[in-house]
Structure formats: C-alpha cells, structure tokens
Amino acid sequence: MSELAPMSGFEVDLTNCDREPIHILGSVQPFGFLLAVNSDWVVVHASTTSLRYLGLSPEDLLGRPLTQVMSGHAIHNIRGRLQIMRGADAVERMFGQPLVDGGEDFDLALHYSGRLLIVEGEPSRADALIEAASAVRSMTTRIAARPTFEEFCHEAARQVRALTEFDRVMVYRFSHDGAGEVIAESVRPGIGSFLGQRYPAQDIPVQARALYERNWLRIIADVDAEVSPIIPEVSPSGEPVDLSMSMLRAVSPIHIEYLRNMGVAASLSISILRDGKLWGLFACHHYAPKHISYERRTAAELFGQLFSLTLESREREIETRRMAEARNLHDRMMNAVVKSNAGADSLSPYLDDLCRLVHCDGLALWLEGRLTLRDSTPDASDVHTLIRVLRDKDTHSVFATNEIAALLPSAAAWTGKAAGMMAVPLSRAPRDYLIFFRKEEAQAVVWAGKPAKLVQVGPLGDRLTPRKSFEAWEETVRGQSRPWTTTERSLAESMRASLLEIVFRLTDLADEERQRANQRQELLIAELNHRVRNILGLIRGLISQSRSGVDTVEAFAEVVGGRVQALARAHDQITRHQWGPGALSDLITAEAEAYLSNKAERVKLNGAPIALAPDAFSILSLVIHELMTNSAKYGALCDQRGQVSIDWVRDAKGDLIIDWREKDGPLVIPPTRRGFGSTIIEHSIPHDLDGEVELDYRPEGFQARIRIPGRYVSTEGVTAAVNQPRRADTPVRAPETMLVLEDNMIIALDLEDMLTRLGVKQITVASSVGQAMDALAEGLPPFAILDVNLGQETSFPVAEALQDAGVPFAFGTGFGDSAAFPERFKDVPVLQKPYSAESVRALF
C-alpha cells in the first residue's frame, strides 16, 4: 500500500497509490548515510545521518569536494569501481572500506542517479556467514535437486529464511490480473501461516512493481525508526534526488501503516523476474526490528537472481516440450492437407489434438463459410454472435479472455459450456477463426483480509486506508474459466502461422502465389545472369587495358584495384536504392572520401539534387575515379593548396552538364601519351551513353566538361544534395604498439578495448612493476599508460625508466587532483578514472 499526502478536494480511488512518487520521498532509513556528488566530485546532497556516521553534518558537507571527506585511497577505490560499472541501473558494492585513514570500515553502494553519483554507506558488520558465493552455490544446488515446482519453491523459501533469519519467508507469485498469491512459505513455529492466501493487485502499486524490476532487493529494517531527511530537499533547479536504486530509500508512511497492521516490524523483499518482468517476490517478514549486513543482503540478492534463472529454465523446458508437440502436429496436418483434396474437412481428424495441446474443453472452427463444433461449446447461433463481436474488434492476433461475459454480456447464460475463450484469426477480412473454449471454473479464493479498500479521513488526510485485518477471507469467483497462460498464447500464435499456411493451401492462394513467385524468380535469374556477364566482361576489359603504363605487379594491382573499387562503390549505392537512380552528389562524395581520405575536404560540390540511372551511374563512377586519381597524382590535389570544384546544371534540353575545374595546383602539362585511364575519361561516356566529354589542359588548372543525355537524368526522389564532401574528423594516429600497466583485470580489459578501437594493434598488459620492467627489457614501446597505484606499490619506477629512455607515457589514476606526484613527473599527462574513449583519444 502506498502513501498519499493530504489534499483538500482530493478524489480518492484505486489509482491514487499508483500515482505516488515513492522514488523521491526525500529521506532515507537511519541505518546508513547518503551523499550525492556532482560531476566535479563535490557533495551537493547529504542525509542528516552523515553526522552520526561521518562526524560531519550536512551543512558541513555541502559544497565540499569528496576528497576532503574521504581519504585518497577510498576515492581511488571508488573511481576504480565506477570504471567497471555497466548499465543504466547498475549498482557497485564495496565491503569493509575505511573512508578515512585509520577510521571505521563501511560497506558502500555506488550508483548514478541522473548526473549525480550516489554514495551510500553503512557500518561493516562482523558476519558469521560463510563466503557469499559458496553459500549461494549451496542454496542453488539444494533447490535444483527438487523435482516438482511446489518442492522447488518451498525449498527456496526455506533457504532464504536460513540465510536471512527472518521469522517468515514467502514465495509470492503474481497472477494475470496483478493479484498476488503465497505459493510457498517457511515460517517460525507459532505465528500462523499465510500459505495459499491472495492479496489484491492494489497492495503493490504499479510504480512499486516497476522499482522491483529495476532494484532486486528492498529492506525495511525498522518500521518505527525515524527517517533521515536529505539536505537540501531539492537541487537549485528544483529537482529532488531520485532514490530508485537506493538501498536506504525511506518508506511510504502508508506502507508503514500497512506493515504495522500486519504486526510486521521489519521486512525484506527479493525480486523474482522472468524475461525481465516481475514474476513474484520473496517476501520476508520479521516481528521485531531486524537489520542484516549488506554482505548477507548481497548474497540474498544473488540467490534471487539465480532462482529467477532456474525458474525461467524450468518453465522454458515445459514450453519447449509443448512447442515441439505443436511442430509435430503442424507437420502431420500439412502432410494430410497436401495429400487430401477434402478442403476444411481435412483438419477434422486433428481437432482433438489441438484441444489437448492448449488444454481446452471445446473448440469452434469457422472456415470457408462452414462452422465445425467440437466438445463443450456454445450453441451455433451463439458462436456466430461471438464471431461478429470478434470481427468488430478487428483482432489481428490471438485474443484471449477468461471471462467472455465481460466482452459479450449474453455469454453469462452459457458459462457452464464456455466461460473463457482464446480466438485465433485465420485470414483477412472477413476473418475466419479457430476458437478454443474453457468451461467455468468456480474457485474459492482465500484473501488475506477482505480486499475492498476503505476511504478514511485520518492524520494523513483523505486516502485509501490499508486493511487492518489480515484474517483469511474467502470469496467464491463465478463466471470465469482458468486463465490462459503465456505459453498457451504462444502455442496459439504458433498454430496460427501453421493454420494460415493450411488455409492458403485450401483456398488455392498458395498455388497462385507460388506461380507468381516462380515467374519473379525466373525474371530475376535472367536479369542477374545478364548483369553478371556484363560485370565480368567489364572487369576483364579493365584488367586487360590496365597493363599499359605500369612497370610492377604492385602498381598494376593498385590501378586495377582502384577501378574495381570504384565500380563496387557505385554498385553498392545503386543496390541500396533497389537498382534505381543514384544521387550524383553521393557518387562524387563516396569517391572523394574513399580515394582521397583527408584531402576530400578540398573537393567542392555545387548543384541541385540530381539522380542518374544505374547504367550512367556506373560509367560516371569510373570517370570520376580516374579524374580524382589524376588530380591526386599530377593535378591540383597533389599540392597542399590545390582545390577541385565540381558544378552541375541541366541545360534547356534537360541534359546534365558537369564542369570539373582545378586551381592552385602545379603547372599543367598536357600528356604526351594516352593511357587506359585517359581513354575511360574521354571515350566511355560518348561510347556507352551517347554523351560528350571535353578536356582542357590549361596551365593554371585542368578543366573538363561532361554532358550526359537527359534520358539518364532525373530529380524525382532526390531529397538532398551534399554541397561539400568532408570527413567529420581526422583519424586518430595511435601508435601500433603500447604498454599498459594496470593491476585491475577488468579495467585493463576495458582500456585494451578502447585502444584497439583507436587502431593500436599490439598491447602488452602488465599488472605489476616487475612484469612491466620485463616487458621493457624485451623492447621499448612507442607509448605507455601507467596506473599510479598498484596496491602495494606504485608505477613510478616504470615511469622513471620510460622517461630516461625518452618514451612518452601518461599516468592513469583514481585519486583526486591532490594526489602527490614526484616533481619530475609534473608535466606528464594524467588520465582520471573512470576512463573514457574521448580522454584516451586525446593522448595522441
């Protein structure tokens, strides 16, 4: 049950609790402290318990750098933990961490809340618990040995109670309507049992369920404890601290009242998730205040995660078996339909199998204007009415309900035959349907107290009050069938695909589609054969004609490779548009970027959006490639100041005129011979496209004019033109080899990944000074990154060796700016942890 603040004229309904912002209550439980630190590592929020645990009041902490609150060693360890943090809701834990030299040990939880780093701590407690991983491994082994689902859940509750030592531990599962049921329990003798009792969905509001999906564990150590406010309550911009992932988050007063009404003094909740969604909870109750160590809570959380995985695995095994049955049934039905010409009657022998697969009491098949009923179903007239309702809903996928009367009120008269249904659409409008039915299943539901909510006026204002009685209250539910499970819905979806295929076959749609597909395939094969032959012939010609003018195999390979790459780039752009027209600006930009690299910014484009037909696009790509090559070797682009401008317009006849002009390059000397590249430039467009090419070898800069007939040119569908091809950034020139000295394996792997992406080909990783010195003895790297603090030693000896050898390097550190460095290293670059790709890139 959730908290609602008193408001005048406030309308109270069952959605009030769902709207309560329980993640921003503005206070924490008193068994620990909370600090919120901004990106400059300055404290901007603190809980009032900071005075008790840190010896500093919030007023003394606010505005202070964290380096003035904690020791350099603690800051270093915190930064190291942040380096390995992954995921939006990630929480890193630290156990037995002294915050100041010689001070008390604390267990810490670190997570990000928006732009703030949240540091929560509580005193470390001596715990007789064996090592957490061993304990959880033993617990998991015990539950895995239980053969039935009931024994599996009961053993899990028993193991959690042994671990947490709470008076009561329940496995609480949510049903399809959001209500919860206690399906297993381990309880201290003499305090009664809640096994089998149900709780209405409103007892755990929507936003609380969302938090359970994000934050696996929630502890309330003492319902009567006075909470600790967070100072200031809001930031300067008016935002409170989001405590969604907080381990100390305070509790809604209404929920506190709810627990008190149950006689509960402390509680612990561990989420059980399936496919990332809340399946249920381990709900732990204690009837006196109880706080367990953070290490023990972490073990409980880990067990909850492993229990969730094991549960999911068991349920998937059941689903897999039933899906295999569905595939087998599909194969048998398909074989029968292929061999038979009996139409819809060919499905009749398999209707009983369909019923058994989804555990239904009867079915109705409406197909080809015929209705087939099997076993327990409504009358034919009622089924026709139901089909009209389904068609009005325009259902495109499987539709399931365990209460047909909620959809069709008249169905209340025949709940004895069919109270719930699952409808599978089999065709487009007018839709055919396969409908599975289930009979009414009257149930005696035992609630933990009468589930109705009462509106009362009290100290907290007008609100929905928690129940004061949790004595078993029995209710008989009528008019509903057993709910359809997720697995049964998935089976129905699978059968829908199978039955659609069968329907196509029965109505000859499949034959017609197959004939059309065969025709399309034959056309595609013929077109592909034609294009492949043309491409092979073109490449053969390129190879043959490129031999002249080259003296070495390497030069020949470079020339041929460049021309083939130009064709490939053009082909990629054409196929990207389903072999339709390609943008002229894209062609030129791709060629400039691919061939000229960082010189591409000196190629200026100017013209309206224009597209070329595939044939013209491929030919022009070769011409542009040769012009770019010649300019880079002999023309304007071989000089640092040279530029090329490419302008295009359409003339009065609709032909495309492209002007290529070079300037600020070396003096142009007309060629004395014509190679194959010149042949491509001068003759390919006139020969293949019936266009024109004019070349002008002016001393001040080469120029060319190209005319492409208008039949190859279009503006339709071209939405943008690129005015200037330009690389967004210059590639980082990282050294090919590097030394990394880092004692934390995960941080070292993370840094290694960053360096590899920047182009470093060989990275030597050392975890100690000795290993680093051995690596230097084998050969000096071009660059090194050294973690300053290596546990029992520092990297300064390695830094001295590198400095003496003239090898550049950078320090990596988790300490604050006040960390002491020897004078000789004052000018060495420093990387602050956690590292980022941007900070590493800035080193080169």
Side-chain angles (χ1 to χ4, degrees):
M1 191 65 190
S2 61
E3 173 188 359
L4 291 174
M7 298 176 63
S8 60
F10 188 82
E11 182 180 351
V12 181
D13 60 39
L14 291 178
T15 67
N16 294 152
C17 290
D18 293 340
R19 297 195 299 267
E20 181 195 9
I22 60 175
H23 60 299
I24 51 173
L25 292 175
S27 57
V28 297
Q29 298 181 69
F31 62 82
F33 68 89
L34 178 145
L35 300 179
V37 181
N38 65 17
S39 58
D40 294 324
W41 288 71
V42 173
V43 178
V44 294
H45 294 277
S47 65
T48 56
T49 48
S50 62
L51 180 60
R52 173 182 173 187
Y53 295 108
L54 301 178
L56 295 170
S57 68
E59 292 75 12
D60 294 329
L61 286 168
L62 297 178
R64 276 198 186 192
L66 197 61
T67 53
Q68 296 180 12
V69 180
M70 301 180 184
S71 68
H73 184 72
I75 298 292
H76 170 77
N77 289 340
I78 288 174
R79 286 182 179 271
R81 284 290 179 176
L82 296 179
Q83 178 67 41
I84 62 177
M85 183 181 288
R86 293 291 183 272
D89 290 335
V91 178
E92 279 297 320
R93 299 165 173 81
M94 299 171 64
F95 300 102
Q97 173 65 55
L99 301 184
V100 295
D101 295 335
E104 180 183 8
D105 288 350
F106 284 84
D107 295 337
L108 302 181
L110 312 172
H111 72 274
Y112 283 103
S113 176
R115 298 182 179 180
L116 299 178
L117 170 64
I118 304 299
V119 180
E120 296 177 277
E122 61 183 272
S124 290
R125 298 176 56 185
D127 201 324
L129 175 69
I130 61 175
E131 195 269 330
S134 298
V136 173
R137 186 186 309 114
S138 173
M139 296 167 66
T140 306
T141 301
R142 289 175 181 273
I143 64 170
R146 299 297 179 176
T148 68
F149 178 76
E150 291 75 17
E151 292 174 322
F152 171 75
C153 293
H154 175 75
E155 183 61 24
R158 197 171 72 89
Q159 292 295 320
V160 172
R161 182 165 169 250
L163 176 67
T164 62
E165 300 178 343
F166 272 64
D167 289 334
R168 184 193 306 275
V169 173
M170 300 168 284
V171 178
Y172 184 90
R173 179 177 61 186
F174 295 110
S175 62
H176 69 284
D177 60 359
E181 180 183 3
V182 179
I183 63 171
E185 184 183 52
S186 178
V187 62
R188 173 172 60 82
I191 61 173
S193 173
F194 290 164
L195 184 63
Q197 291 190 358
R198 290 168 61 92
Y199 297 77
Q202 294 77 22
D203 276 16
I204 303 180
V206 172
Q207 78 278 30
R209 295 175 192 239
L211 287 181
Y212 280 131
E213 290 182 353
R214 298 176 59 190
N215 201 338
W216 283 82
L217 187 138
R218 169 72 161 148
I219 186 171
I220 303 172
D222 184 357
V223 298
D224 295 320
E226 185 175 351
V227 298
S228 170
I230 295 173
I231 307 298
E233 184 177 356
V234 296
S235 67
S237 59
E239 297 173 347
V241 180
D242 187 333
L243 299 177
S244 297
M245 302 305 297
S246 168
M247 70 173 183
L248 295 172
R249 175 167 53 89
V251 190
S252 156
I254 300 299
H255 186 58
I256 291 291
E257 185 179 352
Y258 181 88
L259 293 175
R260 285 173 177 160
N261 289 348
M262 295 184 75
V264 174
S267 74
L268 178 73
S269 301
I270 308 167
S271 300
I272 303 172
L273 303 184
R274 188 177 185 315
D275 293 330
K277 301 298 182 183
L278 191 63
W279 181 94
L281 296 169
F282 287 104
C284 311
H285 289 170
H286 206 69
Y287 295 91
K290 185 171 184 60
H291 177 259
I292 60 175
S293 70
Y294 195 27
E295 185 175 3
R296 192 178 288 251
R297 300 202 306 271
T298 299
E301 178 181 350
L302 177 58
F303 175 75
Q305 294 170 346
L306 292 175
F307 176 87
S308 297
L309 292 174
T310 307
L311 171 70
E312 185 171 331
S313 175
R314 289 195 172 203
E315 292 189 345
R316 287 197 185 281
E317 287 177 4
I318 298 173
E319 293 174 11
T320 300
R321 287 197 296 269
R322 296 182 69 180
M323 286 296 183
E325 293 176 15
R327 286 193 296 271
N328 180 268
L329 179 58
H330 165 264
D331 293 340
R332 289 191 286 122
M333 288 191 298
M334 284 301 300
N335 288 334
V337 170
V338 169
K339 295 176 182 178
S340 172
N341 293 318
D345 292 336
S346 60
L347 295 178
S348 297
Y350 303 98
L351 296 182
D352 290 336
D353 292 328
L354 289 170
C355 279
R356 283 193 296 271
L357 194 61
V358 297
H359 301 163
C360 70
D361 298 312
L363 63 76
L365 176 64
W366 174 257
L367 183 63
E368 298 179 341
R370 295 175 54 190
L371 178 64
T372 303
L373 302 178
R374 181 65 56 91
D375 298 325
S376 181
T377 68
D379 295 336
S381 59
D382 294 324
V383 173
H384 284 298
T385 302
L386 191 56
I387 289 174
R388 285 195 294 271
V389 172
L390 290 171
R391 286 177 175 172
D392 290 340
K393 285 180 64 65
D394 195 25
T395 52
H396 297 275
S397 58
V398 172
F399 173 80
T401 177
N402 69 324
E403 188 177 3
I404 301 175
L407 179 70
L408 179 64
S410 61
W414 32 269
T415 56
K417 298 178 181 178
M421 71 169 180
M422 183 162 59
V424 183
L426 300 181
S427 62
R428 297 186 177 89
R431 291 192 182 279
D432 295 323
Y433 282 94
L434 173 65
I435 307 176
F436 300 101
F437 293 104
R438 280 180 178 166
K439 298 177 182 178
E440 178 188 65
E441 191 171 283
Q443 330 178 44
V445 179
V446 179
W447 297 93
K450 192 171 183 178
K453 303 293 186 180
L454 301 176
V455 177
Q456 292 187 353
V457 178
L460 297 176
D462 293 337
R463 56 174 174 75
L464 293 170
T465 183
R467 296 191 303 281
K468 296 185 181 298
S469 172
F470 288 84
E471 294 180 359
W473 185 84
E474 186 172 311
E475 176 187 25
T476 301
V477 178
R478 311 282 312 206
Q480 297 182 8
S481 71
R482 180 165 48 87
W484 305 92
T485 67
T486 302
T487 300
E488 289 162 346
R489 293 171 188 247
S490 298
L491 284 169
E493 286 287 0
S494 175
M495 286 188 288
R496 177 173 179 263
S498 299
L499 292 169
L500 279 172
E501 188 174 353
I502 292 171
V503 169
F504 284 146
R505 182 75 182 219
L506 295 175
T507 58
D508 291 329
L509 290 177
D511 288 336
E512 295 174 10
E513 181 61 24
R514 190 178 297 108
Q515 291 176 6
R516 289 195 293 267
N518 288 337
Q519 293 172 358
R520 289 195 298 268
Q521 186 178 37
E522 290 173 1
L523 289 173
L524 287 172
I525 291 173
E527 178 66 12
L528 179 62
N529 185 49
H530 170 71
R531 294 190 185 280
V532 168
R533 287 179 178 274
N534 282 347
I535 291 173
L536 291 175
L538 177 59
I539 292 177
R540 183 178 182 278
L542 288 176
I543 294 173
S544 175
Q545 296 298 323
S546 297
R547 290 178 297 178
S548 61
V550 293
D551 300 321
T552 65
V553 173
E554 291 77 9
F556 175 73
E558 181 180 356
V559 170
V560 173
R563 289 167 179 166
V564 172
Q565 283 293 333
L567 283 175
R569 284 189 292 273
H571 186 269
D572 286 345
Q573 294 179 66
I574 295 170
T575 54
R576 202 175 300 136
H577 298 283
Q578 290 76 47
W579 206 258
L584 173 61
S585 60
D586 290 347
L587 183 155
I588 300 173
T589 300
E591 195 59 39
E593 291 279 346
Y595 187 79
L596 301 177
S597 186
N598 58 349
K599 296 180 183 178
E601 63 183 7
R602 292 191 281 136
V603 178
K604 313 294 182 182
L605 308 187
N606 183 37
I610 290 291
L612 298 176
D615 292 341
F617 197 96
S618 297
I619 296 300
L620 185 61
S621 71
L622 278 176
V623 173
I624 296 296
H625 173 76
E626 296 300 331
L627 289 172
M628 290 284 186
T629 302
N630 289 341
S631 181
K633 288 182 177 179
Y634 316 110
L637 296 178
C638 75
D639 188 282
Q640 293 294 329
R641 299 177 297 107
Q643 293 188 352
V644 174
S645 62
I646 305 173
D647 305 302
W648 62 84
V649 295
R650 297 189 73 174
D651 62 13
K653 296 189 298 181
D655 294 349
L656 177 64
I657 308 299
I658 303 173
D659 285 315
W660 174 289
R661 297 185 181 88
E662 301 184 15
K663 67 177 183 177
D664 297 334
L667 182 68
V668 175
I669 300 175
T672 56
R673 67 178 185 84
R674 291 287 188 271
F676 184 52
S678 299
T679 301
I680 290 176
I681 295 172
E682 293 184 46
H683 299 295
S684 60
I685 289 178
H687 182 273
D688 292 318
L689 305 179
D690 196 26
E692 295 177 358
V693 175
E694 299 175 11
L695 307 181
D696 187 356
Y697 295 90
R698 297 185 180 187
E700 68 271 18
F702 170 77
Q703 295 186 9
R705 168 163 287 198
I706 299 170
R707 183 183 64 81
I708 297 177
R711 63 180 177 274
Y712 298 106
V713 184
S714 70
T715 57
E716 184 177 350
V718 187
T719 58
V722 179
N723 294 325
Q724 296 183 357
R726 185 181 302 275
R727 285 188 179 270
D729 54 4
T730 303
V732 174
R733 294 183 179 179
E736 291 196 357
T737 61
M738 188 178 294
L739 170 67
V740 170
L741 176 54
E742 171 60 63
D743 63 334
N744 186 292
M745 181 190 69
I746 298 178
I747 297 176
L749 291 173
D750 193 46
L751 180 56
E752 188 177 6
D753 288 342
M754 292 181 190
L755 294 171
T756 300
R757 289 194 294 271
L758 291 176
V760 181
K761 296 180 179 178
Q762 182 178 344
I763 302 168
T764 301
V765 178
S767 61
S768 66
V769 170
Q771 290 182 9
M773 289 300 194
D774 291 341
L776 295 181
E778 295 179 5
L780 295 174
F783 197 89
I785 296 178
L786 312 177
D787 184 19
V788 174
N789 189 289
L790 302 173
Q792 302 300 319
E793 57 185 355
T794 70
S795 62
F796 293 146
V798 182
E800 291 174 0
L802 291 170
Q803 198 172 66
D804 293 341
V807 176
F809 62 93
F811 284 123
T813 179
F815 287 95
D817 295 336
S818 61
F821 287 81
E823 182 65 18
R824 65 181 295 183
F825 300 135
K826 64 178 182 178
D827 295 326
V828 175
V830 176
L831 280 176
Q832 288 288 343
K833 294 181 181 180
Y835 302 136
S836 68
E838 291 73 18
S839 63
V840 175
R841 183 186 291 113
L843 294 173
F844 311 117

Short mmCIF file of all heavy atoms in Angstrom, two decimals, residues 125 164-167 219-222 265-267 286 288-292:
data_model
loop_
_atom_site.label_atom_id
_atom_site.label_comp_id
_atom_site.label_asym_id
_atom_site.label_seq_id
_atom_site.Cartn_x
_atom_site.Cartn_y
_atom_site.Cartn_z
N ARG A 125 29.55 -4.90 9.34
CA ARG A 125 29.20 -5.70 10.50
C ARG A 125 29.87 -7.06 10.40
O ARG A 125 29.84 -7.70 9.35
CB ARG A 125 27.68 -5.89 10.59
CG ARG A 125 26.91 -4.59 10.76
CD ARG A 125 25.42 -4.81 10.73
NE ARG A 125 25.02 -5.78 11.74
CZ ARG A 125 23.77 -6.24 11.87
NH1 ARG A 125 22.83 -5.80 11.06
NH2 ARG A 125 23.46 -7.13 12.81
N THR A 164 18.57 -15.32 5.78
CA THR A 164 18.22 -14.00 6.32
C THR A 164 17.82 -14.05 7.79
O THR A 164 17.85 -13.02 8.47
CB THR A 164 17.05 -13.40 5.53
OG1 THR A 164 15.89 -14.24 5.67
CG2 THR A 164 17.41 -13.28 4.05
N GLU A 165 17.39 -15.24 8.27
CA GLU A 165 16.94 -15.42 9.65
C GLU A 165 15.70 -14.58 9.99
O GLU A 165 15.50 -14.18 11.12
CB GLU A 165 18.08 -15.12 10.64
CG GLU A 165 19.29 -16.02 10.43
CD GLU A 165 20.44 -15.69 11.36
OE1 GLU A 165 20.43 -14.58 11.94
OE2 GLU A 165 21.33 -16.53 11.50
N PHE A 166 14.86 -14.30 8.98
CA PHE A 166 13.59 -13.63 9.21
C PHE A 166 12.58 -14.65 9.74
O PHE A 166 12.70 -15.86 9.51
CB PHE A 166 13.07 -12.98 7.93
CG PHE A 166 13.57 -11.57 7.74
CD1 PHE A 166 14.91 -11.31 7.56
CD2 PHE A 166 12.69 -10.50 7.75
CE1 PHE A 166 15.39 -10.03 7.39
CE2 PHE A 166 13.15 -9.20 7.56
CZ PHE A 166 14.51 -8.97 7.40
N ASP A 167 11.54 -14.15 10.44
CA ASP A 167 10.53 -15.03 11.02
C ASP A 167 9.71 -15.73 9.96
O ASP A 167 9.28 -16.88 10.14
CB ASP A 167 9.59 -14.22 11.92
CG ASP A 167 10.28 -13.77 13.20
OD1 ASP A 167 11.25 -14.43 13.63
OD2 ASP A 167 9.85 -12.74 13.76
N ILE A 219 15.04 -3.52 1.67
CA ILE A 219 14.98 -3.83 3.09
C ILE A 219 14.34 -2.68 3.84
O ILE A 219 14.56 -1.50 3.54
CB ILE A 219 16.39 -4.13 3.68
CG1 ILE A 219 16.27 -4.59 5.14
CG2 ILE A 219 17.31 -2.93 3.53
CD1 ILE A 219 17.55 -5.10 5.73
N ILE A 220 13.49 -3.02 4.80
CA ILE A 220 12.93 -2.07 5.78
C ILE A 220 13.34 -2.62 7.14
O ILE A 220 12.77 -3.60 7.63
CB ILE A 220 11.41 -1.95 5.65
CG1 ILE A 220 11.02 -1.52 4.23
CG2 ILE A 220 10.86 -0.97 6.67
CD1 ILE A 220 9.53 -1.57 3.96
N ALA A 221 14.34 -1.99 7.75
CA ALA A 221 14.95 -2.55 8.96
C ALA A 221 14.09 -2.35 10.20
O ALA A 221 14.11 -3.18 11.11
CB ALA A 221 16.34 -1.96 9.17
N ASP A 222 13.33 -1.25 10.27
CA ASP A 222 12.55 -0.96 11.47
C ASP A 222 11.43 0.00 11.08
O ASP A 222 11.69 1.16 10.72
CB ASP A 222 13.45 -0.33 12.54
CG ASP A 222 12.72 -0.09 13.86
OD1 ASP A 222 11.50 -0.36 13.93
OD2 ASP A 222 13.37 0.38 14.81
N ALA A 265 7.42 -5.75 11.92
CA ALA A 265 8.33 -4.68 12.34
C ALA A 265 9.48 -4.47 11.37
O ALA A 265 10.12 -3.42 11.39
CB ALA A 265 8.88 -4.99 13.73
N ALA A 266 9.79 -5.46 10.54
CA ALA A 266 10.87 -5.35 9.56
C ALA A 266 10.53 -6.26 8.39
O ALA A 266 9.87 -7.29 8.55
CB ALA A 266 12.21 -5.74 10.16
N SER A 267 10.97 -5.86 7.19
CA SER A 267 10.68 -6.68 6.02
C SER A 267 11.85 -6.63 5.05
O SER A 267 12.67 -5.71 5.07
CB SER A 267 9.40 -6.21 5.32
OG SER A 267 9.63 -5.00 4.61
N HIS A 286 9.55 -9.94 9.62
CA HIS A 286 10.07 -10.17 10.97
C HIS A 286 9.21 -9.37 11.93
O HIS A 286 8.74 -8.27 11.60
CB HIS A 286 11.54 -9.75 11.07
CG HIS A 286 12.30 -10.49 12.13
ND1 HIS A 286 12.61 -11.83 12.02
CD2 HIS A 286 12.82 -10.08 13.31
CE1 HIS A 286 13.29 -12.21 13.09
NE2 HIS A 286 13.43 -11.17 13.90
N ALA A 288 10.05 -8.18 14.88
CA ALA A 288 10.83 -7.24 15.68
C ALA A 288 11.78 -6.56 14.72
O ALA A 288 12.03 -7.05 13.61
CB ALA A 288 11.60 -7.98 16.78
N PRO A 289 12.29 -5.37 15.05
CA PRO A 289 13.24 -4.72 14.13
C PRO A 289 14.39 -5.67 13.79
O PRO A 289 14.89 -6.40 14.65
CB PRO A 289 13.72 -3.51 14.94
CG PRO A 289 12.60 -3.22 15.87
CD PRO A 289 12.01 -4.54 16.24
N LYS A 290 14.81 -5.66 12.52
CA LYS A 290 15.88 -6.56 12.10
C LYS A 290 16.65 -5.94 10.95
O LYS A 290 16.07 -5.55 9.93
CB LYS A 290 15.32 -7.92 11.67
CG LYS A 290 16.41 -8.94 11.35
CD LYS A 290 15.84 -10.31 11.14
CE LYS A 290 16.93 -11.34 10.91
NZ LYS A 290 17.87 -11.45 12.05
N HIS A 291 17.94 -5.88 11.14
CA HIS A 291 18.83 -5.40 10.08
C HIS A 291 19.90 -6.45 9.85
O HIS A 291 20.53 -6.91 10.79
CB HIS A 291 19.47 -4.07 10.48
CG HIS A 291 20.45 -3.55 9.45
ND1 HIS A 291 21.81 -3.69 9.60
CD2 HIS A 291 20.25 -2.93 8.27
CE1 HIS A 291 22.41 -3.16 8.55
NE2 HIS A 291 21.49 -2.70 7.73
N ILE A 292 20.09 -6.86 8.62
CA ILE A 292 21.14 -7.83 8.30
C ILE A 292 22.20 -7.13 7.47
O ILE A 292 21.94 -6.13 6.78
CB ILE A 292 20.59 -9.06 7.56
CG1 ILE A 292 19.93 -8.67 6.24
CG2 ILE A 292 19.62 -9.82 8.44
CD1 ILE A 292 19.47 -9.86 5.43
#
